[in-house]
Amino acid sequence: MTAKVTYTGELRTTCVHLRSGDSFITDAPVDNNGLGQAFSPTDTVATGLASCIVTMMGMKANGLGVDLVNTTAEVTKHMAANPRRISKIEIVLSLPAVVSEKDRKILEHTANTCPVHYSLHPDIEKVITFNWVL
């Protein structure tokens, strides 16, 4: 088992990663009867994509001898109705690294082929922007 999710009432859950004991809460968004005081479940999906991208790029960067420390990802999630679902995830990466054109292409390919990217429904539009900050 990977995690345990407990419904705590008022449209909130507590999520515990069993191996580490780390936890976080989710809250329904304001536009869906929640308080919007924490990540919503769909926020965690969109944020999970960004986290996966940065993690996989970090793994590949280590092998290339590239330092991606302080890379950031800004995530914007768009919702659709009928049925309510994620329709689009936009991620803007700021990568403060001096990287050759060849390594940029390798790292960008790695980002676009991360496991979460492949796990999301193909109808979800994924827009990933790479800003190589020098």
Side-chain angles (χ1 to χ4, degrees), residues 2-3 8 21 24 42 44 51 55 58-59 95 104 116 119 131:
T2 301
T8 59
F24 64 92
T42 53
T44 66
S51 180
T55 300
M59 286 179 192
L95 302 117
R104 282 184 188 191
V116 173
S119 299
N131 292 326

Side-chain angles (χ1 to χ4, degrees), residues 8-102:
T8 59
E10 298 183 9
L11 308 180
R12 286 191 167 191
T13 68
T14 298
C15 308
V16 179
H17 181 255
L18 296 177
R19 184 175 188 120
S20 68
D22 277 351
S23 66
F24 64 92
I25 64 168
T26 66
D27 191 5
V30 174
D31 68 346
N32 203 21
N33 302 310
L35 298 175
Q37 295 176 343
F39 282 99
S40 72
T42 53
D43 291 342
T44 66
V45 171
T47 303
L49 175 59
S51 180
C52 188
I53 285 170
V54 173
T55 300
M56 296 305 296
M57 289 179 77
M59 286 179 192
K60 183 59 81 173
N62 286 342
L64 297 171
V66 174
D67 182 4
L68 292 183
V69 170
N70 294 322
T71 291
T72 61
E74 296 177 353
V75 180
T76 304
K77 173 201 71 178
H78 301 269
M79 297 294 290
N82 300 319
R84 188 168 170 84
R85 67 200 177 285
I86 299 170
S87 60
K88 179 179 181 180
I89 300 170
E90 295 177 271
I91 298 173
V92 177
L93 294 159
S94 295
L95 302 117
V98 177
V99 181
S100 70
E101 188 62 32
K102 177 184 175 189

